[in-house]
Amino acid sequence: FKRQYRNDLKSLKEVIAPFILRRLKREVLSELPDKIETDIIVELGTEEKKLYLAYLKKYKREIASEKNSLKIFLYITRLRQLCNHPQLFLEDYSGKSSKLEALLELLEECKSGGHRVLVFSQFTEMLEIIKKNMPENMTYLYLDGKTKAKERIELVENFNSGNEDVFIISLKAGGSGLNITGADTVIHFDPWWNLAVQNQATDRAHRIGQRNVVTVYKLIAKGTIEENILHLQEKKKELADQILQGEGMGSGSFTKEELKEILGMR
């Protein structure tokens, strides 16, 4: 099987090679500073773990006979929200969020080190919680899908001028089309399915005009589906690397079986 798999990849690469010009970013933009990526593994608190495991058990039981991939995706989204902050869909939750605490601690370290930060999350509700909990000694700007085009430009110009410490941005609204080289640190509060989308968001800071090394942090809840998402992201990237020597062919879509794998059902 492995020999056949390698032969299939080789054949595919030979077929598509004449149609692809693959250039790595470092080859085209040799003057660009380095980019350092770090995963920060966050241990959930006792109450958070109990909630997460209870819902994981419940969803696994319901998914066992579920044929609808969209329903499975919904369950996974709920679990991802639990990893971020249980308050995202449990209105009566009054406990803490370990990932939020880790973020605030990291922001304080960045502030003391003279670094300016972009914070991304897929969930605008999470961004609202982050805004409400920002340290008093820290200033910030905010951008999401509701931000008008003219205001987006003004916000970016304001931040790049050296104003404000943190730029809080929704992943989908700020993942492309913005030049935010005023930041030298990027924090992804939650992993997104498509690694290319995350990289596009990172590239808001790591692009022409950036003079500093860019540090990228990804906050990952330990022992949860977030770790499984990272694993599948890497597997898809490795497949693309074998074909293109890069991640340009990476896919953000997952099969039903892969969704179940994220839930640890394989």
Side-chain angles (χ1 to χ4, degrees):
F1 173 77
K2 289 183 178 179
R3 184 182 297 111
Q4 181 62 42
Y5 176 74
R6 288 194 295 268
N7 290 338
D8 289 344
L9 283 178
K10 182 179 179 182
S11 299
L12 177 59
K13 185 175 179 180
E14 290 174 351
V15 170
I16 66 176
F19 307 100
I20 295 176
L21 176 60
R22 179 66 180 168
R23 301 295 297 278
L24 298 178
K25 190 175 181 181
R26 63 176 175 269
E27 296 172 343
V28 180
L29 303 174
S30 57
E31 75 280 7
L32 208 58
D34 289 339
K35 178 175 65 175
I36 301 171
E37 300 187 75
T38 302
D39 292 342
I40 297 180
I41 308 301
V42 180
E43 183 86 41
L44 297 182
T46 302
E47 188 175 358
E48 291 174 288
K49 281 183 182 178
K50 286 181 179 178
L51 278 171
Y52 179 86
L53 292 174
Y55 274 93
L56 177 63
K57 183 178 180 180
K58 175 176 183 285
Y59 291 154
K60 278 185 174 182
R61 187 167 58 246
E62 294 179 9
I63 286 170
S65 59
E66 182 60 61
K67 297 181 179 180
N68 188 337
S69 294
L70 289 178
K71 196 73 173 287
I72 299 174
F73 183 83
L74 173 62
Y75 292 147
I76 289 176
T77 299
R78 289 301 192 200
L79 291 172
R80 293 180 64 228
Q81 290 176 319
L82 279 174
C83 291
N84 278 359
H85 199 312
Q87 210 173 71
L88 288 181
F89 80 96
L90 298 175
E91 294 182 2
D92 59 344
Y93 180 79
S94 58
K96 68 174 185 176
S97 160
S98 299
K99 284 184 73 176
L100 177 61
E101 291 185 351
L103 171 69
L104 298 178
E105 182 179 336
L106 182 56
L107 288 177
E108 291 281 12
E109 292 177 4
C110 291
K111 170 80 172 179
S112 63
H115 301 288
R116 302 177 68 234
V117 186
L118 305 183
V119 176
F120 288 100
S121 173
Q122 180 216 342
F123 302 101
T124 54
E125 298 89 348
M126 188 65 230
L127 295 179
E128 289 294 333
I129 293 175
I130 292 172
K131 285 166 56 178
K132 291 177 183 177
N133 287 274
M134 285 292 290
E136 292 183 1
N137 67 331
M138 222 168 283
T139 58
Y140 69 87
L141 298 173
Y142 177 78
L143 185 154
D144 64 18
K146 297 179 181 178
T147 307
K148 295 180 180 178
K150 182 181 178 181
E151 186 180 355
R152 286 165 62 99
I153 296 172
E154 292 173 352
L155 287 170
V156 170
E157 289 179 347
N158 187 7
F159 189 84
N160 284 338
S161 296
N163 301 319
E164 321 307 338
D165 303 306
V166 181
F167 205 156
I168 301 171
I169 308 173
S170 71
L171 185 67
K172 292 183 179 179
S176 62
L178 300 178
N179 185 337
I180 319 179
T181 52
D184 62 4
T185 303
V186 178
I187 301 174
H188 291 285
F189 193 80
D190 38 68
W192 181 230
W193 310 103
N194 193 332
L195 187 59
V197 173
Q198 282 187 186
N199 290 340
Q200 285 176 358
T202 296
D203 288 346
R204 298 315 94 214
H206 191 243
R207 59 194 297 111
I208 293 176
Q210 179 59 259
R211 298 180 179 179
N212 302 310
V213 171
V214 174
T215 304
V216 184
Y217 298 102
K218 299 175 186 176
L219 301 184
I220 307 298
K222 183 178 179 180
T224 71
I225 59 170
E226 291 193 337
E227 289 188 326
N228 296 340
I229 289 172
L230 285 187
H231 173 71
L232 277 178
Q233 279 182 344
E234 192 59 34
K235 188 168 74 172
K236 284 177 174 284
K237 180 179 180 296
E238 286 174 2
L239 176 61
D241 286 342
Q242 292 178 62
I243 300 171
L244 300 174
Q245 293 91 36
E247 63 185 19
M249 198 175 170
S251 171
S253 61
F254 289 95
T255 66
K256 179 182 175 182
E257 291 306 311
E258 286 173 327
L259 291 175
K260 287 188 174 183
E261 184 177 341
I262 287 174
L263 286 162
M265 296 179 69
R266 293 184 64 188

